[in-house]
Amino acid sequence: MKTYNVAIIGATGAVGQQMKEQLEKRNFPIKDIVFLSSSRSAGKEIEFNGKVYTVQEAKPESFEGIDIALFSAGGSISEKFAPEAVKRGAIVIDNTSAFRMDKEVPLVVPEVNKSDLRLHKGIIANPNCSTIQMVCALQPLKELYGMTKVVVSTYQAVSGAGIDAINELKAQAADFDNAKEAEAKVLPVKSAEQHYPIAFNVIPQIDQFTENGYTFEEMKMINETKKIMHDDSLAVAATCVRLPVVTGHSESVYVELQKEATVDQVKQAMTDAPGVELMDDPSNQIYPMPLMTAGLDEVFVGRIRQDLDNPNGFHLWVVSDNLVKGAALNSVQIAEALIEENII
Ligand code: L14
């Protein structure tokens, strides 16, 4: 079997650690692996398949001989080093928002648009976590019934904002009586001046605001959904909200179909969809929740209801681990698809 030289950039981050775990768990055909990071995390040690590796500072030369480079160290690192990796013959799978809307860059969820991988020119973008889990549930409905409109509200975990945000939630949660005055340095946006506690709170802001009043996270969901599903005419609106959950994003999704469908048909579509698991049994209080889906691969869908005023409208509750299918697993599945399809 052919094996590959792999690099993980951002190896010590929340997503980087999960990328390492997915490669181990899925027995990815690795010849050699290097763990790269900013100078700040260089020197740390990482165990991979029983062997200890030292994290090295990313430099252009680090990509010499690399076949597949998995980037998750922030947009500016990707902008700087992804072209260097491509120049040296690597295929880059980038988990930041740096290249997602670039026309030359495929934006791929393998269950939805694997065939776009063939169009790559060196860089392939991994979509935003909230977008990935939503399109996994939407694509089968669009194929079967057509789709005109999507309205989503998210309930997002802090792990999307990194290890610092996880630690901040844990520290604040330890002190219920002082929650209101809790020290906050990370959320909603680390680089901003104003911060708010997340423990016992709900923050209707993820990423910075854009000029139209939507946040970048909301605009990412809107634009990426249209690109992945190849439908610029699909109406999409999003409201992205942070909750005091460590890992696992939840979404309330309202979708309007072109053709009429029944709840049973929508449930069947979820049962048949690759990567999706139906978890919908209200009589037994069965529906997905982030605590129960943490660490799992699938996108879980429950609470499926027909709209009471529009027979073509359906409401879905969609939950998945944002670090797994929302990030690391999707990146590794892209790499696996490149091998399966003889693209690499
Ligand atoms: O665009 O803060 O991939 O939860 C996803 C996680 C942006 C930040 C992306 C968060 C990131 C977001």
Side-chain angles (χ1 to χ4, degrees):
M1 192 203 220
K2 202 174 161 200
T3 53
Y4 301 86
N5 289 328
V6 174
I8 298 183
I9 302 87
T12 58
V15 173
Q17 288 177 11
Q18 189 57 233
M19 284 171 162
K20 176 203 91 110
E21 277 176 39
Q22 291 294 332
L23 292 173
E24 285 176 320
K25 196 164 131 190
R26 299 172 72 85
N27 261 317
F28 193 84
I30 285 180
K31 194 189 295 168
D32 204 358
I33 188 160
V34 288
F35 297 99
L36 304 173
S37 72
S38 63
S39 58
R40 202 163 24 99
S41 302
K44 287 189 184 166
E45 292 192 332
I46 289 183
E47 201 185 311
F48 181 78
N49 281 343
K51 213 178 128 191
V52 176
Y53 294 78
T54 304
V55 178
Q56 297 164 36
E57 181 180 350
K59 305 222 165 78
E61 313 80 75
S62 315
F63 298 96
E64 223 58 76
I66 296 296
D67 301 307
I68 301 169
L70 303 171
F71 275 76
S72 192
S76 55
I77 298 274
S78 290
E79 275 163 20
K80 189 164 160 203
F81 289 109
E84 298 291 345
V86 173
K87 225 192 282 174
R88 289 166 177 79
I91 294 190
V92 167
I93 302 170
D94 182 36
N95 200 44
T96 76
S97 57
F99 303 105
R100 286 180 188 147
M101 294 312 295
D102 188 324
K103 287 205 166 55
E104 306 275 278
V105 174
L107 180 66
V108 176
V109 178
E111 290 89 339
V112 178
N113 63 332
K114 188 156 81 173
S115 57
D116 286 348
L117 289 174
R118 299 215 161 271
L119 306 172
H120 87 86
K121 297 195 165 70
I123 301 176
I124 295 156
N126 191 82
N128 170 272
C129 37
S130 307
T131 310
I132 293 177
Q133 67 183 68
M134 182 170 77
V135 296
C136 284
L138 294 183
Q139 179 69 13
L141 296 176
K142 182 173 194 287
E143 279 170 16
L144 289 166
Y145 303 105
M147 191 170 285
T148 51
K149 180 176 178 161
V150 179
V151 181
V152 55
S153 296
T154 69
Y155 304 69
Q156 294 184 223
V158 296
S159 60
I163 291 167
D164 290 351
I166 299 175
N167 290 337
E168 180 159 285
L169 169 59
K170 288 181 176 168
Q172 291 170 354
D175 195 356
F176 178 82
D177 292 331
N178 293 315
K180 247 176 136 176
E181 287 83 40
E183 193 181 30
K185 289 194 211 147
V186 180
L187 295 169
V189 176
K190 203 171 176 180
S191 59
E193 267 172 41
Q194 177 71 59
H195 297 103
Y196 302 115
I198 184 63
F200 315 107
N201 202 13
V202 166
I203 304 178
Q205 181 191 350
I206 295 181
D207 211 329
Q208 323 249 18
F209 282 94
T210 73
E211 276 174 10
N212 67 8
Y214 287 75
T215 61
F216 277 100
E217 183 80 352
E218 289 158 354
M219 292 311 297
K220 283 183 256 179
M221 285 195 82
I222 292 165
N223 295 325
E224 293 178 22
T225 298
K226 295 176 200 232
K227 177 167 173 176
I228 298 163
M229 296 177 78
H230 295 176
D231 188 355
D232 283 337
S233 67
L234 180 66
V236 186
T239 303
C240 292
V241 179
R242 185 89 61 190
L243 301 193
V245 167
V246 174
T247 208
H249 289 353
S250 306
E251 301 176 342
S252 169
V253 183
Y254 171 70
V255 52
E256 277 178 12
L257 305 176
Q258 241 148 15
K259 295 186 213 144
E260 252 183 69
T262 64
V263 165
D264 283 343
Q265 285 172 319
V266 173
K267 285 186 179 174
Q268 190 61 46
M270 295 300 109
T271 302
D272 297 342
V276 175
E277 197 168 310
L278 179 71
M279 198 184 269
D280 193 1
D281 181 6
S283 61
N284 288 305
Q285 296 188 175
I286 301 295
Y287 34 74
M289 291 180 279
L291 265 187
M292 116 213 296
T293 61
L296 302 181
D297 288 355
E298 292 79 12
V299 173
F300 296 88
V301 183
R303 299 292 329 272
I304 297 173
R305 288 149 292 150
Q306 190 160 35
D307 191 72
L308 296 177
D309 296 300
N310 181 349
N312 291 22
F314 288 86
H315 300 270
L316 287 73
W317 177 249
V318 182
V319 181
S320 194
D321 189 321
N322 52 302
L323 300 180
V324 180
K325 183 57 185 167
L329 172 61
N330 197 68
S331 290
V332 173
Q333 286 172 321
I334 289 173
E336 290 170 349
L338 291 172
I339 298 172
E340 271 162 37
E341 308 279 312
N342 291 314
I343 298 172
I344 191 167

